[in-house]
Amino acid sequence: KQEVTQIPAALSVPEGENLVLNCSFTDSAIYNLQWFRQDPGKGLTSLLLIQSSQREQTSGRLNASLDKSSGRSTLYIAASQPGDSATYLCALPSQGGSEKLVFGKGTKLTVNP
Amino acid sequence: SAVISQKPSRDICQRGTSLTIQCQVDSQVTMMFWYRQQPGQSLTLIATANQGSEATYESGFVIDKFPISRPNLTFSTLTVSNMSPEDSSIYLCSVVFAEETQYFGPGTRLLVL
């Protein structure tokens, strides 16, 4: 059974800082991995989808890396802004290529002006 | 991409009552998913709703408590029956498109008194 862990649970940084969020998973036979953003009172927004054959994906100031062998993914946020403040969730298929996702508990990021 | 709406956005209910949550997608999709996010917890999959067949429930969730309808390819409902305070959560629906990215609705915040 796939289990997903995210550390740290919360992170507070000053504006402009580069930061890394971590996600680890127990079953390395993954199909893909997604990073989501959740704003208070709102649903989830997909940030990046990284396939098992890929090492990383980039979108703007965001870069997600994937190391299947070690069961880890990182989300790198460059030049953080107050608008980046949100909870960031990592999710993987529960098994194989299933569309059912297993989520980590998330990292609550606060970027202080 | 997909535009997903949910109704209601939030509700406060008395224990013992039932609430039906609606999920509408702007495109036809084969599968729709219902997730629950309890306070301070991660998202947990409740069930998968397929058009034309009964929903498939995950371990720990039963049809009598969470009946689901899927009358067509763009709409689904989730009912939370005989509610107790432990049912206070955010309920989210989601869909997957060809590019494998999962899209979520804005969620329904439920508080049971």
Side-chain angles (χ1 to χ4, degrees), chain A residues 2-112:
Chain A
Q2 183 70 272
E3 295 182 2
V4 183
T5 303
Q6 290 186 249
I7 53 172
L11 181 63
S12 181
V13 301
E15 182 177 3
E17 191 164 298
N18 301 327
L19 58 99
V20 174
L21 307 181
N22 298 291
C23 171
S24 61
F25 45 93
T26 54
D27 185 354
S28 61
I30 65 169
Y31 195 69
N32 58 43
L33 182 148
Q34 292 187 58
W35 283 92
F36 293 89
R37 168 182 173 144
Q38 185 175 29
D39 292 280
K42 297 185 179 181
L44 276 66
T45 301
S46 179
L47 297 172
L48 289 164
L49 169 72
I50 183 166
Q51 300 287 357
S52 62
S53 59
Q54 298 175 313
R55 294 295 298 271
E56 62 179 50
Q57 272 283 17
T58 299
S59 176
R61 294 182 293 108
L62 305 180
N63 176 276
S65 68
L66 175 63
D67 184 345
K68 286 197 306 177
S69 61
S70 65
R72 292 182 179 179
S73 176
T74 61
L75 180 66
Y76 175 82
I77 302 177
S80 58
Q81 304 170 357
D84 294 330
S85 298
T87 297
Y88 290 82
L89 297 163
C90 167
L92 296 88
S94 57
Q95 59 181 22
S98 172
E99 294 173 336
K100 303 176 183 181
L101 297 181
V102 176
F103 283 82
K105 289 189 176 182
T107 294
K108 184 176 182 180
L109 173 65
T110 302
V111 181
N112 301 300

